[in-house]
């Protein structure tokens, strides 16, 4: 008798975003209940209702704020799936937390994007899926395969379904190439915003100019 591996999906029951439900609906699969709860001291606990033995697990979790809780919840779900004898575990992180900290800008700084990659690998992830990382070098931080879905493809699907014709705005130096890909794919105008961050400050813009063509 030939055994067919099961396929399970996991989602964040404590903080639903709708993304996992839409993915499951498109693929025609059922979401697995994670039963995430917190103890009085803030510790996170997870327990799957259904058997995960031999299943391909896709654990969907975007690292949105509070980012530390989101990352820890995903790590705990991965560990629970591994100890439940899941055949393969894929961490789906549409937004990868700490991706901006991918290098040392000055001395005595961490490379936290590498730390998050190490945590996912140590937890037992077999593959990571994300959307257009802050920089391509983050893929090299992982010891497991990484699949990146480019944002222009996602944006094209959204605009095609809504019929909208947006104008694309980007700020900073790194995202300019991304904005150019958007502009070419969507056949729309491109506006660039130049901003400078005063040294030692966060989320504060000192000067801003813009141009469009």
């Amino acid at each position: 008798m030939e055994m067919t591996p099961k396929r399970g999906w996991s989602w964040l029951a404590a903080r639903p975003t709708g993304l996992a439900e839409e993915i499951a609906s498109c693929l025609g699969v059922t979401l697995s209940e994670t039963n995430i709860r917190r103890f009085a001291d803030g510790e996170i606990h997870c327990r799957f209702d259904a058997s995960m033995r031999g299943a391909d697990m896709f654990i969907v979790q975007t690292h949105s704020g509070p980012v530390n809780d989101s990352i820890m919840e995903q790590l705990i779900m991965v560990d629970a799936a591994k100890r439940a004898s899941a055949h393969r575990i894929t961490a789906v992180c549409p937004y990868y937390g700490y991706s901006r900290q991918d290098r040392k800008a000055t001395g005595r700084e961490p490379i936290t994007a590498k730390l998050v990659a190490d945590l996912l690998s140590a937890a037992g992830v077999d593959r990571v899926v994300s959307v257009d990382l802050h920089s391509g070098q983050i893929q090299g931080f992982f010891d497991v395969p990484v699949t990146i879905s480019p944002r222009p493809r996602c944006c094209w699907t959204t605009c095609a379904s809504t019929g909208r014709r947006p104008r694309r705005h980007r700020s900073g130096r790194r995202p300019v190439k991304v904005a150019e890909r958007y502009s070419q794919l969507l056949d729309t105008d491109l506006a660039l915003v130049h901003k400078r961050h005063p040294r030692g400050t966060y989320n504060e813009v000192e000067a801003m100019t813009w141009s469009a063509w």
Side-chain angles (χ1 to χ4, degrees):
M1 181 177 66
E2 182 179 357
M3 299 296 293
T4 302
K6 294 180 294 183
R7 176 172 296 176
W9 285 80
S10 177
W11 66 306
L12 178 57
R15 194 189 314 145
T17 61
L19 175 61
E21 294 98 318
E22 291 185 19
I23 295 175
S25 176
C26 291
L27 297 178
V29 298
T30 304
L31 290 173
S32 302
E33 288 291 343
T34 58
N35 296 313
I36 291 181
R37 62 190 179 94
R38 294 178 181 272
F39 294 114
D41 61 354
E43 291 182 359
I44 302 169
H45 178 267
C46 167
R47 184 183 185 278
F48 295 105
D49 282 341
S51 172
M52 298 295 143
R53 185 176 298 275
D56 285 342
M57 287 293 299
F58 294 82
I59 299 182
V60 182
Q61 174 83 312
T62 186
H63 299 166
S64 57
V67 61
N68 297 328
D69 288 348
S70 299
I71 293 174
M72 197 64 197
E73 286 171 355
Q74 187 170 36
L75 293 172
I76 291 174
M77 287 189 285
V78 169
D79 186 73
K82 180 183 68 174
R83 298 180 188 281
S85 301
H87 172 65
R88 181 170 49 196
I89 303 173
T90 301
V92 182
C93 316
Y95 172 71
Y96 182 77
Y98 290 98
S99 60
R100 294 176 181 272
Q101 299 184 40
D102 57 359
R103 64 187 179 89
K104 292 182 63 175
T106 60
R108 300 175 297 282
E109 284 188 346
I111 304 180
T112 319
K114 176 65 168 66
L115 175 61
V116 175
D118 291 341
L119 290 172
L120 288 170
S121 298
V125 166
D126 297 297
R127 177 180 290 273
V128 174
V129 177
S130 189
V131 179
D132 205 3
L133 296 171
H134 185 252
S135 62
Q137 69 193 39
I138 295 178
Q139 299 179 61
F141 294 165
F142 289 89
D143 296 326
V144 297
V146 180
T147 301
I148 305 299
S149 177
R151 278 180 293 182
R153 183 182 303 173
C154 302
C155 183
W156 170 255
T157 303
T158 301
C159 293
S161 62
T162 59
R164 296 178 180 177
R165 182 180 175 82
R167 167 174 286 179
R168 185 64 184 165
H169 299 79
R170 293 300 289 178
S171 61
R173 292 172 294 179
R174 287 188 177 183
V176 171
K177 291 185 178 180
V178 177
E180 289 176 348
R181 294 200 301 269
Y182 269 114
S183 179
Q184 294 172 3
L185 182 63
L186 300 176
D187 188 24
T188 187
D189 297 329
L190 173 65
L192 299 181
V193 178
H194 174 69
K195 61 182 180 181
R196 297 191 303 271
H197 293 276
R199 186 176 182 85
T201 63
Y202 297 92
N203 301 323
E204 178 181 339
V205 178
E206 186 180 60
M208 178 180 295
T209 60
W210 73 279
S211 60
W213 62 87

